[in-house]
Amino acid sequence: MSQKKVIIIGATSGIGRQLAILYAQQGWLVGITGRRTQLLDELCAAYPGKMIAATMDVTVPDATAALEQLILQMGGMDLLIYNSGFGDTSEQLDWNIEQQTTLTNVNGFVAITNVAYNWFLDKPAGHIAATSSIASIRGNSFAPAYSASKAYMSTYLEGLLIKIKKQKRNIYLTDIQPGFVDTKMAKGNGRFWVATPEKAAKQIVAAISKKRFRVYITRRWWLIAKIMKWLPNFIYHRIG
């Protein structure tokens, strides 16, 4: 049996780093990307022969070319995980924050996903996963672009799922919706049910292996998702 290959976009820290470690430990060849070359090199040094690194910024035009080159360098891929993300509170509607959030979570996501999707089209099978957020369910006054961009990711993946079914392609999708995970992305004082990156990564790997389309991380966050979906506007708009 040939070695399985995964490319993780955004693997220098947090969930992405833990995903890279888990897949390497399971015997996969792991392609890792990120903007911080030193952190990528440290991962490769810790798992010699199991990881291939490519410095990449998903917000710049040549990111797609860098991904295509990495796929060739790895000799193909079976799974791509888009884990790059940006988000910060924007209470005064700071354009710099809104722009960076949109460039990373929307433009970068679409560009990378398109490369992966079209690469898998003529292959026996493929799998694309992306880390959106529980915040994708409703708008949020503290970080408008973040919740909106994550909603875009989830809706885009659903559109691709329908397209795949119509085209009868053997491509699987997984929409990963974490709640609070103990990373630099998790901000605020009202956090609860905070998971470690290690725990989150284990649940993500398990969900991907089962080819689940949507997964809440950790699993208990499905309850929050249900509440947020059905909470009346006159209540949610006071707290959101």
Side-chain angles (χ1 to χ4, degrees):
M1 183 180 295
S2 60
Q3 184 181 30
K4 291 185 177 180
K5 301 165 184 176
V6 56
I7 292 178
I8 301 172
I9 308 296
T12 54
S13 62
I15 294 174
R17 185 177 187 279
Q18 292 303 318
L19 287 171
I21 291 171
L22 279 179
Y23 279 111
Q25 291 174 341
Q26 292 181 8
W28 289 56
L29 178 62
V30 184
I32 53 175
T33 81
R35 293 178 299 168
R36 293 170 288 181
T37 304
Q38 181 180 345
L39 295 180
L40 295 174
D41 291 342
E42 289 174 1
L43 266 177
C44 288
Y47 295 89
K50 296 183 178 181
M51 295 192 186
I52 299 175
T55 303
M56 178 193 299
D57 181 348
V58 299
T59 67
V60 300
D62 65 354
T64 54
L67 174 58
E68 291 169 349
Q69 180 60 39
L70 180 58
I71 294 172
L72 292 175
Q73 190 176 355
M74 292 183 62
M77 67 176 174
D78 301 285
L79 166 65
L80 180 134
I81 303 175
Y82 188 90
N83 186 67
S84 287
F86 182 86
D88 203 349
T89 55
S90 183
E91 296 184 22
Q92 301 302 319
L93 207 62
D94 186 324
W95 169 238
N96 291 325
I97 294 174
E98 303 295 282
Q99 182 183 43
Q100 186 63 34
T101 301
T102 305
L103 286 174
T104 306
N105 302 348
V106 176
N107 298 54
F109 161 71
V110 172
I112 296 300
T113 299
N114 270 252
V115 171
Y117 184 90
N118 286 295
W119 193 87
F120 284 135
L121 277 180
D122 61 351
K123 304 299 185 298
H127 196 146
I128 301 170
T131 305
S132 62
S133 173
I134 198 78
S136 67
I137 296 171
R138 303 288 293 264
N140 187 300
S141 66
F142 300 102
Y146 182 76
S147 56
S149 64
K150 293 300 185 177
Y152 183 100
M153 293 175 70
S154 292
T155 303
Y156 194 89
L157 288 173
E158 185 175 28
L160 287 187
L161 180 67
I162 298 169
K163 183 181 292 292
I164 287 166
K165 290 180 178 180
K166 288 183 176 181
Q167 295 179 342
K168 297 180 180 180
R169 301 290 185 175
N170 197 25
I171 303 174
Y172 300 94
L173 303 173
T174 299
D175 177 13
I176 305 159
Q177 296 197 3
F180 291 122
V181 180
D182 192 14
T183 69
K184 67 177 184 178
M185 289 281 290
K187 298 179 175 67
N189 298 321
R191 297 186 299 164
F192 60 98
W193 291 349
V194 181
T196 64
E198 293 83 358
K199 183 175 183 179
K202 287 179 181 179
Q203 291 194 12
I204 291 169
V205 170
I208 290 174
S209 69
K210 295 175 183 176
K211 296 179 171 60
R212 292 179 58 188
F213 172 64
R214 180 162 290 137
V215 57
Y216 301 106
I217 303 298
T218 57
R219 286 184 290 267
R220 65 176 66 180
W221 278 88
W222 74 268
L223 176 62
I224 301 299
K226 296 295 183 184
I227 293 172
M228 289 179 68
K229 287 176 182 178
W230 293 108
L231 201 63
N233 287 342
F234 76 91
I235 295 176
Y236 181 78
H237 290 175
R238 293 180 181 179
I239 62 176

